[in-house]
């Protein structure tokens, strides 16, 4: 093998190798797909990402819903949210107040009550009072009312009405009422067995009466029969769809992973390359600096710095790069030393070509393929570090990351409650996005070092 | 009866770019006490042939046909275990171009020679034998206690020769044993081999790309090109009167000291996975004729043990 | 260069590296931590003042000026306790000197289980748990990883050979804490096989035997997660080292000498690759003392990683510095010992370069 391949044919060779290597090719395709997803996320959902921490924004979404495709296994117990709407009719109007009535009909044949019922009435001025008559298929009914009417109300809003209804039916005060129990009360047969899980099937009617100030318009109205299944990956305790969060996390993961890896590899290759190239005192000094950074306990150190600096994405990339370049410097240094021992560099010295030129003509080109391999291999490490920091609550401000989703899964006791989709999918994404980089890195590594 | 007879040996490498016929139907005979030289450009299959004799062809290479007789036994038919016990190093030893790196770096020279004797069940006093061997290759006895990196390249090569001789082999294969050494050390090693051949009545296969070197040591000469033998015969006769155009060009090149003889022949050796039709030298041969591109010449016997593979004869 | 000079030179390098690394940590964390401490002093002084005022309202013999003097005195004592009133360079030198003599001072907020405020007592209380979990895990990973790496290097082209790069991909793409989190959800809550976290049950069993069994039971899940994630990486490194050694000239000549494959692998190749493997072992074991910070948090395993995180959340600078110092010293020691072992294993190094 001719050792003095020019850099250009060298790089071409590696590109070829990656693409020819089956796993390398799969890696490239996967990355292109992820990049496309990222672009899609950035162009279509950047406004949603600003709302991510705003729980009101997600109010009408089902909470802790499992992935929708789970309903395939048990459609009567696992189902999506249904929304119904109606045409409001004005039943009284005066110059002091207006009364509207909204009548909804729906049929319910599932084995389980909705996880919650959300009433959404958007008006152009505040609602002064609201009363809901809930009529079950057998004609029994319950009236829900609240002292503080709002435009979006769920069953918890009416818990005092429902609680007293339950007490009346079963004969004692219910121990604790979740949205699910409240909903069961609205769907169960009246009597002692109200909460035993049986569901009255058939046509339900809801009649909502609201009192508003005069000339108020109802802009939108909806009743959500909240399901327990939503979207590809379900929702979290705030109703945020996991699939959306994952999508929003894509550009951030890729950006920071690539940025960090590129900065640290370039830094490491230049520092290690120069160090190995120059040798002597400079080499010892640079080696010492490398060692100083290398011995810092990386994660604790990074956690300290992220905690006190609260970095944005770029600064965080720089911080991680600052702690990881020594690994590349060490390898680059030893490569540079072995290149240096090769005769043509010696020959250059004899010919008196200034050494900086030798560095750029002989060293950097030879280190390029090496740098590409390590950049690819460095990306997963960087992504995992960032997601780890996020998981510890150190997400760069304003970003949605998979680590931050997992962080809220942990603090909302997802493991205890069995909300596996909240834990599983964001983590799987970390793996999925890492794998192609590892595969490409291994493929180049094989091409660069395997041929010897 | 030759001590080593190779008949119709073919060794192919199954690479992604095709099947490389590194050794293509080669015949060879080595008589007791004789030095057979094999010469040819780099990449012509010399090392593959040598490794084939030692049965050291690794994936993706394979010995696809042929027989190799040591005395009268076909060593290709032996089980790996038998071959290890009876032949390898005991009867046939080998020194390599990289022999100076042939010692395991973490063990002392003496211990490595001892290991070879131990696993092959040498009877006798190991320490005495090691000293004897080191003396034989003109090394100080203290070398036994040294690590490989403590010796110079030439000393390591000598030490390796000592290790090769440890079990009194009958055949010594030398694959470019001097290529990586400086000229003075080269000459010393060569003289050492000549001396050992005489003293121990060794039979030697000496491989090199440096034809000039062979004139000093070989009795018989084989010229190899692109995996096949182009010409063979008595060494002196070939030097005096090369027949094959390839041999002639090689000879011209060494006669002219100003010419690097490999570059001296215009053109490139063909891809061993993609040999031209007819004569494999036809793309570079100044005498090429029509038939040369159509039909492959056989290795024809001219007289005595002189053979040439060329349509000119 | 004699071996002694070589040794002294190495020691100087390692000590200066240690000081430089600690200075870096100190300088980078200094400004923010100072702010936090000043704020803490301010709120504590304010609380003190309110308490006096409440108390004084009943008596009337304390006027506002004397109260202010009292508060200022209290403030000054707090400033002194947190070391806030010394000039910067002095603070730095005192801090470095104290670190080097392993005097980490008192923690601001954290305490050891026995009530001590001494940083070294706190670290000493938590470090053993990290060692029990992660050093054990690392040793298992090293043993199994080496075995897998050797098998994969030896049986090129077989399942073994393909297995190791595949599990190495797992290593490079799977965060241990996430796997732990998932395992907790699956094996501690969904199917209740393992405890979800902690070092022992609460209250811990009385008898030492039951205590140990209980602790092993709690270690199982984090160990499984740690093992799954890390074994592939170690195996891959061993495999690469062995394979690159296999390509060296001496392996072919060893074969020519009639040595058996297993003798070549286990005696010649492994022995030659052992200095590099020893470096990997040293780094892995040194790294294990830092624990998996995040993994410890997920499993509520109160080791050094967990302690570090608590200290960071509380801005407990002496503890943060102390832990980082101890971990850095351990790493440097490991590197140093590794140099010595390498010198022993590799005759090329023993010569003193
Ligand atoms: N391990 C191998 N894999 C593929 N091809 C090989 C291998 N070893 C040798 N070859 C091929 O065999 C040919 C002969 O090589 P070699 O025997 O080393 O030649 P020489 O010793 O005459 O220089 C080369 O052209 C090379 O392409
Ligand atoms: S056969 Fe033809 S081409 Fe081949 S060497 Fe002879 S003359 Fe030249
Ligand atoms: Mg050769």
């Amino acid at each position: 093998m001719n050792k003095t391949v020019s850099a250009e044919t060298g790089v071409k060779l590696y590109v070829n190798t990656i693409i020819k290597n089956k796993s390398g090719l799969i890696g490239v395709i996967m990355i292109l797909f992820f990049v496309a997803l990222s672009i899609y996320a950035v162009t279509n959902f950047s406004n949603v990402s600003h709302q991510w921490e705003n729980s009101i924004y997600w109010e009408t979404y089902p909470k802790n819903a499992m992935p929708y495709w789970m309903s395939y296994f048990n459609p009567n117990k696992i189902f999506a949210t249904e929304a119904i709407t109606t045409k409001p009719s004005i039943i009284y109007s005066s110059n002091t107040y207006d009364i509207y009535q909204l009548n909804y009909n729906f049929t319910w044949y599932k084995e389980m009550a909705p996880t919650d019922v959300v009433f959404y009435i958007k008006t152009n001025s505040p609602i002064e009072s609201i009363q809901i008559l809930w009529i079950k298929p057998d004609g029994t009914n319950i009236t829900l009312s609240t002292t503080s009417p709002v435009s979006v109300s769920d069953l918890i809003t009416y818990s005092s009405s429902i609680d007293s209804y339950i007490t009346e039916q079963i004969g004692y005060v219910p121990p604790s009422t979740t949205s699910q129990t409240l909903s069961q009360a609205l769907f169960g047969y009246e009597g002692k067995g109200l909460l035993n899980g049986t569901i009255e099937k058939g046509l339900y009617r809801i009649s909502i009466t609201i009192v508003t100030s005069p000339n108020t318009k109802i802009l939108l109205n909806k009743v959500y029969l909240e399901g327990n299944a939503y979207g590809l990956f379900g929702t979290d305790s705030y109703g945020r769809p996991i699939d959306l969060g994952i999508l929003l996390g894509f550009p951030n993961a890729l950006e920071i992973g690539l940025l960090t890896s590129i900065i640290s590899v370039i830094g490491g290759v230049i520092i290690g390359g120069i160090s190995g190239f120059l040798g002597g005192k400079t080499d010892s000094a640079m080696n010492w600096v490398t060692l100083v950074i290398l011995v810092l306990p990386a994660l604790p150190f990074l956690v300290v710095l992220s905690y006190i600096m609260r970095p944005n994405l770029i600064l965080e990339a720089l911080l991680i790069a600052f702690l990881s370049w020594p690994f590349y410097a060490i390898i680059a240094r030893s490569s540079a030393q072995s290149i240096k021992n090769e005769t043509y560099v010696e020959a250059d010295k004899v010919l008196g070509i200034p050494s900086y030129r030798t560095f750029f003509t002989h060293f950097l080109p030879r280190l390029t393929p090496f740098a590409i391999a390590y950049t690819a291999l460095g990306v997963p490490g960087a992504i995992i570090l960032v997601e780890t920091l996020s998981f510890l609550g150190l997400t760069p401000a304003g970003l949605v990351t998979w680590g931050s989703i997992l962080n809220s899964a942990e603090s909302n006791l997802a493991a205890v409650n069995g909300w596996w989709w909240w834990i599983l999918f964001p983590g799987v994404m970390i793996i999925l996005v890492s794998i192609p980089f590892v595969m490409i890195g291994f493929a180049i590594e094989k091409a660069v070092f395997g041929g010897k | 009866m030759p001590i080593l007879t190779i008949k119709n040996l073919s060794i192919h490498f199954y690479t992604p770019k095709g099947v490389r016929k590194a050794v293509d139907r080669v015949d060879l005979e080595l008589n007791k006490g004789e030095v057979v030289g094999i010469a040819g450009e780099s990449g012509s299959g010399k090392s593959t042939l040598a490794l084939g004799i030692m049965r050291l062809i690794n994936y993706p290479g394979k010995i696809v046909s042929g027989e190799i007789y040591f005395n009268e036994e076909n060593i290709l038919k032996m089980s790996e275990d038998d071959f290890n016990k009876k032949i390898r190093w005991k009867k046939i030893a080998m020194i390599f171009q990289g022999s100076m790196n042939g010692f395991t770096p973490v063990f002392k020279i003496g211990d490595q020679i001892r290991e070879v004797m131990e696993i092959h069940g040498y009877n006798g006093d190991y320490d005495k034998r090691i000293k004897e061997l080191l003396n034989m290759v003109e090394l100080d006895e203290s070398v036994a206690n040294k690590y490989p990196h403590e010796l110079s390249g030439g000393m390591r090569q000598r030490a390796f020769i000592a290790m090769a001789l440890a079990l009194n082999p009958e055949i010594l294969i030398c694959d470019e044993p001097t290529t990586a050494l400086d000229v003075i050390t080269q000459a010393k090693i060569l003289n050492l081999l000549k001396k050992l051949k005489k003293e121990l009545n060794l039979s030697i296969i000496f491989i090199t790309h440096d034809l000039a070197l062979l004139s000093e040591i070989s009795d018989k000469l084989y010229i190899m090109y692109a995996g096949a033998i182009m010409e063979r015969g008595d060494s002196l006769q070939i030097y005096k009167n090369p027949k094959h155009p390839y041999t002639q060009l090689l000879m011209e090149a060494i006669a002219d000291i100003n010419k690097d003889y490999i570059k001296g022949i215009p053109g490139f050796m063909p891809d061993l996975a993609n040999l031209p039709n007819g004569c494999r030298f036809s793309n570079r041969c100044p005498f090429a004729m029509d038939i040369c591109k159509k039909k492959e010449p056989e290795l024809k016997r001219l007289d005595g043990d002189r053979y040439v593979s060329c349509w000119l004869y | 260069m004699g071996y002694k000079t070589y040794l002294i030179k190495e020691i100087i390098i390692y000590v200066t590296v240690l000081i430089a690394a600690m200075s870096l940590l100190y300088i980078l964390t200094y400004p923010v931590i100072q702010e936090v401490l000043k704020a803490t002093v301010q709120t504590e002084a304010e609380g003190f003042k309110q308490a006096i005022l409440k108390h004084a309202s009943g008596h009337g013999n304390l006027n506002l000026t004397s109260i202010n003097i009292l508060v200022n005195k209290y403030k000054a004592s707090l400033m002194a306790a947190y070391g806030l009133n010394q000039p910067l360079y002095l603070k730095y030198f005192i801090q470095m000197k104290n670190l080097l003599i392993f005097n980490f001072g008192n923690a601001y907020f954290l305490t050891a289980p026995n009530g001590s405020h001494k940083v070294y007592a706190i670290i000493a209380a938590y470090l053993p748990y990290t060692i029990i979990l992660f050093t054990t895990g690392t040793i298992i990973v090293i043993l199994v990883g080496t075995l897998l790496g050797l098998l994969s290097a030896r049986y090129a082209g077989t399942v073994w050979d393909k297995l190791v790069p595949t599990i190495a991909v797992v290593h490079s793409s799977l965060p241990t804490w996430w796997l732990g989190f998932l395992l907790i959800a699956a094996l501690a809550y969904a199917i209740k096989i393992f405890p979800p976290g902690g070092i022992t049950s609460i209250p811990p069993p009385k008898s030492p035997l039951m205590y140990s069994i209980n602790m092993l039971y709690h270690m199982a899940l984090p160990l499984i997660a740690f093992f799954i994630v890390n074994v592939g990486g170690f195996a891959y490194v061993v495999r690469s080292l062995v394979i690159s050694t296999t390509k060296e000239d001496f392996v072919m000549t060893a074969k020519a000498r009639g040595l058996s494959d297993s003798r070549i692998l286990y005696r010649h190749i492994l022995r030659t690759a052992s200095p590099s493997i020893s470096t990997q072992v040293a780094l892995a074991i040194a790294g294990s003392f830092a624990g998996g910070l995040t993994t410890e948090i997920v499993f509520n395993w109160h080791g050094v990683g967990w302690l570090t995180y608590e200290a960071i959340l509380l801005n407990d600078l002496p503890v943060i510095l102390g832990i980082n110092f101890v971990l850095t010293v351990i790493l440097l020691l490991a590197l140093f010992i590794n140099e010595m072992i390498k010198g022993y294993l590799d005759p090329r190094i023993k010569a003193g370069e």
Side-chain angles (χ1 to χ4, degrees), chain B residues 61-225:
Chain B
K62 209 181 156 213
I63 299 181
V64 290
S65 72
E67 292 126 52
I68 302 175
Y69 293 95
F70 176 77
N71 289 327
E72 300 198 356
E73 195 173 5
N74 184 348
I75 57 174
L76 294 183
K77 286 251 157 71
M78 296 173 90
S79 74
E80 175 70 17
D81 221 33
D82 260 7
F83 185 73
N84 239 359
K85 278 200 194 108
K86 291 191 198 145
I87 307 286
R88 229 182 238 152
W89 220 253
K90 223 172 182 170
K91 299 290 177 205
I92 311 179
M94 178 166 176
I95 37 182
F96 302 80
Q97 175 176 345
S99 288
M100 61 248 316
N101 305 320
F103 286 103
T104 306
V106 293
F107 299 127
K108 289 178 181 162
I109 303 285
D111 293 340
Q112 300 197 46
I113 300 179
R114 189 189 314 275
E115 183 186 30
V116 155
M117 297 196 284
E118 267 166 20
I119 60 161
H120 288 288
Y122 178 85
N123 347 308
D125 185 340
Y126 290 172
D127 287 326
K128 213 177 112 208
R129 176 67 177 158
I130 290 170
K131 279 180 192 155
E132 190 180 299
L133 286 165
L134 290 173
N135 287 330
M136 217 187 275
V137 297
E138 293 154 14
L139 280 175
D140 194 86
E141 286 171 6
S142 68
V143 164
N145 267 322
K146 295 229 157 97
Y147 286 101
H149 73 274
E150 296 174 291
L151 307 178
S152 70
M155 285 165 89
R156 263 180 276 162
Q157 192 68 299
R158 276 165 198 271
F160 202 85
I161 296 172
M163 180 157 67
L165 301 176
L167 306 165
N168 280 317
E170 298 186 27
I171 299 176
L172 184 64
I173 302 174
C174 306
D175 184 3
E176 316 234 13
T178 61
T179 305
L181 302 171
D182 62 90
V183 191
I184 297 169
T185 320
Q186 254 184 31
K188 283 188 181 160
I189 298 277
L190 210 61
N191 286 334
L192 174 67
L193 285 171
K194 275 197 251 179
K195 183 192 92 174
L196 291 172
K197 176 204 154 191
K198 244 191 245 144
E199 283 175 4
L200 305 172
N201 194 22
L202 273 174
S203 316
I204 294 179
I205 295 180
F206 196 102
I207 294 172
T208 181
H209 66 267
D210 187 353
L211 202 51
L213 209 67
L214 278 182
S215 62
E216 287 189 41
I217 188 167
S218 67
D219 305 310
K220 299 276 169 56
L221 195 54
Y222 285 66
I223 305 293
M224 204 167 170
Y225 181 78

Side-chain angles (χ1 to χ4, degrees), chain B residues 41-48 97 175-176 207:
Chain B
E41 286 171 74
S42 258
S44 54
K46 306 179 300 289
S47 296
T48 308
Q97 175 176 345
D175 184 3
E176 316 234 13
I207 294 172

Side-chain angles (χ1 to χ4, degrees), chain A residues 188-258:
Chain A
Y189 285 104
E190 275 196 356
K192 291 261 177 279
L194 180 68
L195 298 184
N196 72 2
T198 36
I199 300 294
E200 243 192 277
K201 290 174 187 167
L203 180 70
Y204 283 78
R205 279 169 293 160
I206 309 169
S207 176
I208 304 179
T209 312
I210 59 167
V211 180
T212 63
S213 50
N215 297 323
T216 299
K217 282 215 168 56
I218 297 186
L219 304 170
L220 261 175
N221 74 87
K222 263 180 188 150
V223 173
Y224 294 93
L225 304 161
E226 298 284 13
N228 53 2
Y230 183 91
L232 193 54
F233 298 151
T235 63
D236 68 9
S237 295
Y238 306 96
R240 298 178 294 197
I242 305 293
D243 48 10
L244 188 58
I246 283 175
L247 192 61
L248 295 174
F250 257 109
N252 300 328
L254 284 182
E255 199 176 330
I256 202 156
L258 279 168

Side-chain angles (χ1 to χ4, degrees), chain C residues 4 44 65 102 123 138 146 182 197 228 230 242 271-272 292 306 319 331 344 349-350:
Chain C
K4 216 170 161 187
E44 280 190 29
T65 29
F102 279 76
I123 297 176
T138 306
T146 308
L182 195 67
I228 291 176
N230 290 295
V242 170
R271 183 65 183 69
T272 307
W306 183 88
V319 180
L331 185 58
Y344 175 74
I349 298 170
K350 208 186 291 180

